[in-house]
Amino acid sequence: MRGIALGAFLLGLGLAQTCHVPRTPPDYRELPVGQPSLTLQVFPTGLTQRGSFSVSASTTAPGATAWVRVSWSGGQLALKDVAWGTAGYDPPLQGPGGSQWVQGCPSVSTSTRELDDRDNGRHTFRAEAFVYWREQWANFRCTTQQWNGSTWETTTYYQNYQVSPVYSAPSYCAEVPNSRYWEVRSGTITATGTAYAYISWEQRAGMDYDTALQEFARRIEEDHKRATASMLAYAYAKEIPGPVREALAKAARGYFYDCNWLGICTRADPAGEIKILTDVPSILQGLLYTGRLCGGFITFCFGGQNARGADIGPKVEIKTFLMVKGWRHDYLLLDRLIPRRYYDPADREYPGVPEEERQQVLASCRLYKDTQEGRRCLALVETPTGIVPTLKGLLMIEPMFQRGRQYP
């Protein structure tokens, strides 16, 4: 028996783990007939809580596998694509010594670092494996007719063709008896897999109520620069928190930014549609715009400003429910008020609330701020783009808007 152990010289992986792959002539029965396949599994395929992806890869022929390795190949986040080595972004999957690859023999299993909302988006993983297999070949006698300019001539030649697992000889060739033999082949096979992270913002360590609103406002502004007129926003609201309100107003009217010394600017057209349903019309002040974005030394106008509100009465039960369709992701913000009787022992109704009910209400609020009127509870979720138009229909935004008193 003769064996081979692939060394680090194969891909410069001096310290990487490799397997001993035996191969015994003349028939090499240790090796599979035909190239093995590689599977890459990522679990879970969707991550909605802080946590990690588990990544594993293996081939259909462990005994013929020299090594298997996996890497994180990049992500499509809300505002940009990131790849290995992107400044300011820590790749979720890193190998020993900070390398891009994690290698094992004859399979590999690893996991990413813990992900949070800053990693929301689509993540791609890649697997590679170096494998051996065998193919059966034979010698063939081939006879063809060739035109020499005046007559047809018969030409005979001998050539080797594969017979297993794929038969490749032309129909005009006949196999020479007792000429079959086995050949060993080797090479790198690949596979890819994707997984998605959509973790709510309040789960990030160190995040508080005001910070979340500030970050969301910045996200709306940065997202709008890419989405421009494709951005949509709908809200049921008694009020809209200050930073978010300012970001929405900016998206509603459109703007020019990053102007150079010649006065040439980048343009962010107004959001395609912003509609706010409320029973407190005063909150609409400064948020509503109609017309077009105009500017420049020689004035040009761009995009339609379509930000409107409606007083729908009666009282809106929730504090704020805002839906924003962005460039790649959609955003859902819920800002509700928890009465003091659920959390303040000094409230006269506190003793009358069943403990089970109290714990259930408070457990659902992870990001909050205590105010004079009660506990403001914030939830901020990022989702794949496309959910906002669906919610617009399910929540009957358009019918309610038409029935309300419209502004402007």
Side-chain angles (χ1 to χ4, degrees), residues 147-167:
W147 181 255
N148 65 4
S150 58
T151 61
W152 288 96
E153 291 183 349
T154 300
T155 301
T156 301
Y157 65 92
Y158 289 85
Q159 186 166 329
N160 294 340
Y161 289 102
Q162 185 179 343
V163 294
S164 178
V166 177
Y167 188 89

Side-chain angles (χ1 to χ4, degrees), residues 347-368:
D347 190 276
R348 64 178 184 177
E349 296 183 36
Y350 182 86
V353 179
E355 185 62 25
E356 182 178 350
E357 179 183 339
R358 186 190 341 274
Q359 293 301 326
Q360 184 177 1
V361 170
L362 295 180
S364 65
C365 183
R366 303 180 61 173
L367 201 61
Y368 62 87

Side-chain angles (χ1 to χ4, degrees), residues 72-406:
W72 174 80
S73 297
Q76 289 183 324
L77 306 188
L79 302 179
K80 63 180 179 179
D81 291 341
V82 293
W84 180 271
T86 299
Y89 188 77
D90 180 23
L93 183 66
Q94 292 190 6
S99 69
Q100 182 177 353
W101 297 92
V102 178
Q103 183 166 312
C105 165
S107 61
V108 63
S109 295
T110 186
S111 62
T112 66
R113 61 172 170 79
E114 185 176 75
L115 275 62
D116 62 24
D117 63 279
R118 288 168 291 198
D119 302 296
N120 282 346
R122 173 182 175 177
H123 294 270
T124 303
F125 298 88
R126 177 181 172 87
E128 293 184 354
F130 196 90
V131 294
Y132 285 86
W133 67 95
R134 58 178 174 153
E135 298 171 351
Q136 194 169 41
W137 291 64
N139 189 245
F140 285 79
R141 183 176 185 271
C142 304
T143 303
T144 62
Q145 298 287 326
Q146 293 185 350
W147 181 255
N148 65 4
S150 58
T151 61
W152 288 96
E153 291 183 349
T154 300
T155 301
T156 301
Y157 65 92
Y158 289 85
Q159 186 166 329
N160 294 340
Y161 289 102
Q162 185 179 343
V163 294
S164 178
V166 177
Y167 188 89
S168 61
S171 60
Y172 52 82
C173 297
E175 183 179 341
V176 176
N178 302 317
S179 67
R180 292 196 175 193
Y181 63 97
W182 290 96
E183 284 280 354
V184 174
R185 296 286 185 261
S186 63
T188 301
I189 56 177
T190 62
T192 58
T194 57
Y196 298 83
Y198 289 102
I199 302 164
S200 56
W201 291 30
E202 66 268 19
Q203 297 180 46
R204 190 197 308 178
M207 181 73 80
D208 59 35
Y209 181 94
D210 292 322
T211 302
L213 290 176
Q214 290 285 354
E215 289 212 13
F216 183 48
R218 282 195 291 270
R219 174 66 68 85
I220 290 176
E221 289 189 26
E222 290 302 314
D223 202 310
H224 176 246
K225 291 176 182 178
R226 295 161 177 83
T228 61
S230 68
M231 176 170 278
L232 308 173
Y234 307 98
Y236 287 94
K238 294 178 71 66
E239 64 178 303
I240 297 178
V244 178
R245 174 194 181 93
E246 293 165 9
L248 282 178
K250 193 172 180 181
R253 65 178 179 264
Y255 49 92
F256 299 91
Y257 64 100
D258 289 347
C259 301
N260 62 22
W261 63 277
L262 292 173
I264 300 173
C265 306
T266 304
R267 184 181 83 248
D269 286 343
E273 184 176 67
I274 295 178
K275 287 185 176 177
I276 301 171
L277 309 178
T278 184
D279 68 333
V280 185
S282 60
I283 75 163
L284 301 175
Q285 187 174 358
L287 278 171
L288 310 181
Y289 294 87
T290 58
R292 308 190 75 189
L293 169 66
C294 299
F297 179 73
I298 301 175
T299 301
F300 290 96
C301 294
F302 309 91
Q305 295 176 343
N306 185 15
R308 302 169 182 272
D311 180 1
I312 58 173
K315 183 179 181 181
V316 178
E317 293 298 329
I318 59 177
K319 197 70 178 176
T320 296
F321 182 33
L322 173 64
M323 305 170 287
V324 180
K325 175 187 177 297
W327 178 52
R328 278 184 173 169
H329 294 177
D330 289 357
Y331 311 94
L332 308 178
L333 181 144
L334 174 63
D335 186 0
R336 59 192 175 93
L337 184 69
I338 297 179
R340 286 186 172 274
R341 65 176 180 271
Y342 285 99
Y343 68 93
D344 186 359
D347 190 276
R348 64 178 184 177
E349 296 183 36
Y350 182 86
V353 179
E355 185 62 25
E356 182 178 350
E357 179 183 339
R358 186 190 341 274
Q359 293 301 326
Q360 184 177 1
V361 170
L362 295 180
S364 65
C365 183
R366 303 180 61 173
L367 201 61
Y368 62 87
K369 178 180 182 180
D370 289 333
T371 65
Q372 192 170 20
E373 58 182 347
R375 175 166 292 182
R376 300 286 294 271
C377 182
L378 187 70
L380 218 169
V381 178
E382 200 169 344
T383 72
T385 190
I387 194 172
V388 165
T390 301
L391 285 176
K392 176 189 177 185
L394 291 176
L395 297 174
M396 300 181 68
I397 297 284
E398 205 61 46
M400 293 182 68
F401 187 85
Q402 295 299 329
R403 287 198 299 266
R405 181 185 176 187
Q406 295 179 36

